[in-house]
mmCIF file with all atom_site columns, all heavy atoms in Angstrom:
data_model
loop_
_atom_site.group_PDB
_atom_site.id
_atom_site.type_symbol
_atom_site.label_atom_id
_atom_site.label_alt_id
_atom_site.label_comp_id
_atom_site.label_asym_id
_atom_site.label_entity_id
_atom_site.label_seq_id
_atom_site.pdbx_PDB_ins_code
_atom_site.Cartn_x
_atom_site.Cartn_y
_atom_site.Cartn_z
_atom_site.occupancy
_atom_site.B_iso_or_equiv
_atom_site.pdbx_formal_charge
_atom_site.auth_seq_id
_atom_site.auth_comp_id
_atom_site.auth_asym_id
_atom_site.auth_atom_id
_atom_site.pdbx_PDB_model_num
ATOM 1  N N   . ILE A 1 233 ? -6.096  -13.868 5.874  1.00 0.00 ? 492 ILE A N   1
ATOM 2  C CA  . ILE A 1 233 ? -7.281  -13.825 6.751  1.00 0.00 ? 492 ILE A CA  1
ATOM 3  C C   . ILE A 1 233 ? -6.851  -13.863 8.216  1.00 0.00 ? 492 ILE A C   1
ATOM 4  O O   . ILE A 1 233 ? -7.375  -13.138 9.050  1.00 0.00 ? 492 ILE A O   1
ATOM 5  C CB  . ILE A 1 233 ? -8.229  -15.016 6.429  1.00 0.00 ? 492 ILE A CB  1
ATOM 6  C CG1 . ILE A 1 233 ? -8.809  -14.868 5.029  1.00 0.00 ? 492 ILE A CG1 1
ATOM 7  C CG2 . ILE A 1 233 ? -9.348  -15.137 7.467  1.00 0.00 ? 492 ILE A CG2 1
ATOM 8  C CD1 . ILE A 1 233 ? -9.562  -16.096 4.514  1.00 0.00 ? 492 ILE A CD1 1
ATOM 9  N N   . ASP A 1 234 ? -5.860  -14.696 8.493  1.00 0.00 ? 493 ASP A N   1
ATOM 10 C CA  . ASP A 1 234 ? -5.328  -14.805 9.854  1.00 0.00 ? 493 ASP A CA  1
ATOM 11 C C   . ASP A 1 234 ? -4.837  -13.459 10.369 1.00 0.00 ? 493 ASP A C   1
ATOM 12 O O   . ASP A 1 234 ? -5.072  -13.100 11.517 1.00 0.00 ? 493 ASP A O   1
ATOM 13 C CB  . ASP A 1 234 ? -4.094  -15.725 9.798  1.00 0.00 ? 493 ASP A CB  1
ATOM 14 C CG  . ASP A 1 234 ? -4.335  -17.001 10.543 1.00 0.00 ? 493 ASP A CG  1
ATOM 15 O OD1 . ASP A 1 234 ? -5.508  -17.375 10.672 1.00 0.00 ? 493 ASP A OD1 1
ATOM 16 O OD2 . ASP A 1 234 ? -3.325  -17.606 10.980 1.00 0.00 ? 493 ASP A OD2 1
ATOM 17 N N   . ILE A 1 235 ? -4.137  -12.736 9.510  1.00 0.00 ? 494 ILE A N   1
ATOM 18 C CA  . ILE A 1 235 ? -3.610  -11.416 9.890  1.00 0.00 ? 494 ILE A CA  1
ATOM 19 C C   . ILE A 1 235 ? -4.774  -10.501 10.279 1.00 0.00 ? 494 ILE A C   1
ATOM 20 O O   . ILE A 1 235 ? -4.735  -9.830  11.309 1.00 0.00 ? 494 ILE A O   1
ATOM 21 C CB  . ILE A 1 235 ? -2.785  -10.807 8.737  1.00 0.00 ? 494 ILE A CB  1
ATOM 22 C CG1 . ILE A 1 235 ? -1.485  -11.600 8.549  1.00 0.00 ? 494 ILE A CG1 1
ATOM 23 C CG2 . ILE A 1 235 ? -2.475  -9.325  8.992  1.00 0.00 ? 494 ILE A CG2 1
ATOM 24 C CD1 . ILE A 1 235 ? -0.666  -11.211 7.326  1.00 0.00 ? 494 ILE A CD1 1
ATOM 25 N N   . ILE A 1 236 ? -5.822  -10.514 9.467  1.00 0.00 ? 495 ILE A N   1
ATOM 26 C CA  . ILE A 1 236 ? -6.960  -9.635  9.756  1.00 0.00 ? 495 ILE A CA  1
ATOM 27 C C   . ILE A 1 236 ? -7.639  -10.065 11.056 1.00 0.00 ? 495 ILE A C   1
ATOM 28 O O   . ILE A 1 236 ? -7.891  -9.249  11.939 1.00 0.00 ? 495 ILE A O   1
ATOM 29 C CB  . ILE A 1 236 ? -7.973  -9.628  8.588  1.00 0.00 ? 495 ILE A CB  1
ATOM 30 C CG1 . ILE A 1 236 ? -7.270  -9.225  7.297  1.00 0.00 ? 495 ILE A CG1 1
ATOM 31 C CG2 . ILE A 1 236 ? -9.148  -8.686  8.890  1.00 0.00 ? 495 ILE A CG2 1
ATOM 32 C CD1 . ILE A 1 236 ? -8.131  -9.275  6.055  1.00 0.00 ? 495 ILE A CD1 1
ATOM 33 N N   . LYS A 1 237 ? -7.867  -11.360 11.180 1.00 0.00 ? 496 LYS A N   1
ATOM 34 C CA  . LYS A 1 237 ? -8.545  -11.849 12.393 1.00 0.00 ? 496 LYS A CA  1
ATOM 35 C C   . LYS A 1 237 ? -7.766  -11.480 13.635 1.00 0.00 ? 496 LYS A C   1
ATOM 36 O O   . LYS A 1 237 ? -8.312  -10.986 14.610 1.00 0.00 ? 496 LYS A O   1
ATOM 37 C CB  . LYS A 1 237 ? -8.681  -13.378 12.333 1.00 0.00 ? 496 LYS A CB  1
ATOM 38 C CG  . LYS A 1 237 ? -9.841  -13.856 11.491 1.00 0.00 ? 496 LYS A CG  1
ATOM 39 C CD  . LYS A 1 237 ? -9.972  -15.360 11.701 1.00 0.00 ? 496 LYS A CD  1
ATOM 40 C CE  . LYS A 1 237 ? -11.091 -15.965 10.886 1.00 0.00 ? 496 LYS A CE  1
ATOM 41 N NZ  . LYS A 1 237 ? -10.932 -17.420 10.754 1.00 0.00 ? 496 LYS A NZ  1
ATOM 42 N N   . LYS A 1 238 ? -6.435  -11.728 13.576 1.00 0.00 ? 497 LYS A N   1
ATOM 43 C CA  . LYS A 1 238 ? -5.614  -11.484 14.778 1.00 0.00 ? 497 LYS A CA  1
ATOM 44 C C   . LYS A 1 238 ? -5.542  -10.006 15.127 1.00 0.00 ? 497 LYS A C   1
ATOM 45 O O   . LYS A 1 238 ? -5.367  -9.650  16.294 1.00 0.00 ? 497 LYS A O   1
ATOM 46 C CB  . LYS A 1 238 ? -4.220  -12.055 14.574 1.00 0.00 ? 497 LYS A CB  1
ATOM 47 C CG  . LYS A 1 238 ? -4.179  -13.560 14.662 1.00 0.00 ? 497 LYS A CG  1
ATOM 48 C CD  . LYS A 1 238 ? -2.762  -14.040 14.664 1.00 0.00 ? 497 LYS A CD  1
ATOM 49 C CE  . LYS A 1 238 ? -2.665  -15.521 14.964 1.00 0.00 ? 497 LYS A CE  1
ATOM 50 N NZ  . LYS A 1 238 ? -1.257  -15.960 14.934 1.00 0.00 ? 497 LYS A NZ  1
ATOM 51 N N   . THR A 1 239 ? -5.636  -9.146  14.118 1.00 0.00 ? 498 THR A N   1
ATOM 52 C CA  . THR A 1 239 ? -5.590  -7.705  14.393 1.00 0.00 ? 498 THR A CA  1
ATOM 53 C C   . THR A 1 239 ? -6.715  -7.303  15.334 1.00 0.00 ? 498 THR A C   1
ATOM 54 O O   . THR A 1 239 ? -6.564  -6.396  16.144 1.00 0.00 ? 498 THR A O   1
ATOM 55 C CB  . THR A 1 239 ? -5.711  -6.911  13.076 1.00 0.00 ? 498 THR A CB  1
ATOM 56 O OG1 . THR A 1 239 ? -4.645  -7.302  12.210 1.00 0.00 ? 498 THR A OG1 1
ATOM 57 C CG2 . THR A 1 239 ? -5.637  -5.415  13.295 1.00 0.00 ? 498 THR A CG2 1
#
Side-chain angles (χ1 to χ4, degrees):
I492 294 170
D493 246 25
I494 291 172
I495 304 176
K496 279 188 181 161
K497 286 189 171 179
T498 302

